[in-house]
């Protein structure tokens, strides 16, 4: 009996460790998805630094509470899988959302970002954000445009002063 208990405690500790080391966790329902569907999704997420695992709901509840995250219990019902995000959260959320479009049996339930519980709608909004690379590119373009626009403005001001 104590061996079973220690195995369960080890699983809870494993889940807690994954929750605590992840930047976010996204909880999904996968009822009806095939093993091939889940393997394909795992592969897509793995490339983004996200691990997608299935654990028993009871173990997940204990691990979330031990991690200091309250409010996830209602999400651990039925066939549940957790995406432990260690990379780009927006990219992982987008991958899950896009997969759910073509596989409606995958349902985003919500999760936690920086130990704060978030709704499925929040995950959907994250999925619609541009990728990290796209945002960095936009930011770099903005930084390049600022000095150029300032130079044009100064030149116009100097020309205006000279004309007056």
């Amino acid at each position: 009996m104590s061996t079973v208990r220690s195995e369960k405690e080890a699983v809870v500790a494993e889940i807690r460790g994954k929750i605590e080391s992840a930047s976010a966790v996204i909880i999904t329902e996968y009822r009806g998805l095939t093993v091939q569907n889940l393997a394909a999704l795992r592969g897509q997420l793995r490339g983004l630094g996200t691990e997608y695992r299935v654990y028993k709901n009871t173990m997940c509840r204990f691990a979330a509470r031990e991690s200091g995250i309250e409010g996830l219990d209602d999400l651990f019902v039925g066939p549940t899988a957790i995406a432990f995000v260690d990379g780009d959260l927006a990219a992982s959320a987008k991958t899950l959302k896009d997969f759910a479009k073509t596989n409606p049996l995958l349902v985003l339930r919500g999760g936690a970002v920086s130990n704060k519980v978030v709704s499925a709608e929040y995950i959907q909004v994250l999925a619609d954000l541009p990728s990290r690379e796209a945002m960095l590119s936009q930011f770099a373009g903005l930084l390049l445009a600022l000095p150029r626009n300032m130079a044009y403005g100064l030149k116009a001001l100097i020309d205006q002063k000279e004309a007056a």
Side-chain angles (χ1 to χ4, degrees), residues 62-82:
F62 285 131
R65 284 187 213 132
E66 287 180 13
S67 298
I69 305 172
E70 297 292 330
L72 291 179
D73 287 2
D74 294 342
L75 303 180
F76 293 116
V77 178
T80 304
I82 306 174

Side-chain angles (χ1 to χ4, degrees), residues 12 15 27-28 30 54-65 72-73 75-82 109:
V12 170
I15 299 167
I27 301 165
T28 66
Y30 66 91
V54 174
Y55 289 104
K56 291 189 175 201
N57 290 330
T58 306
M59 307 288 180
C60 293
R61 285 187 203 105
F62 285 131
R65 284 187 213 132
L72 291 179
D73 287 2
L75 303 180
F76 293 116
V77 178
T80 304
I82 306 174
R109 289 194 178 155

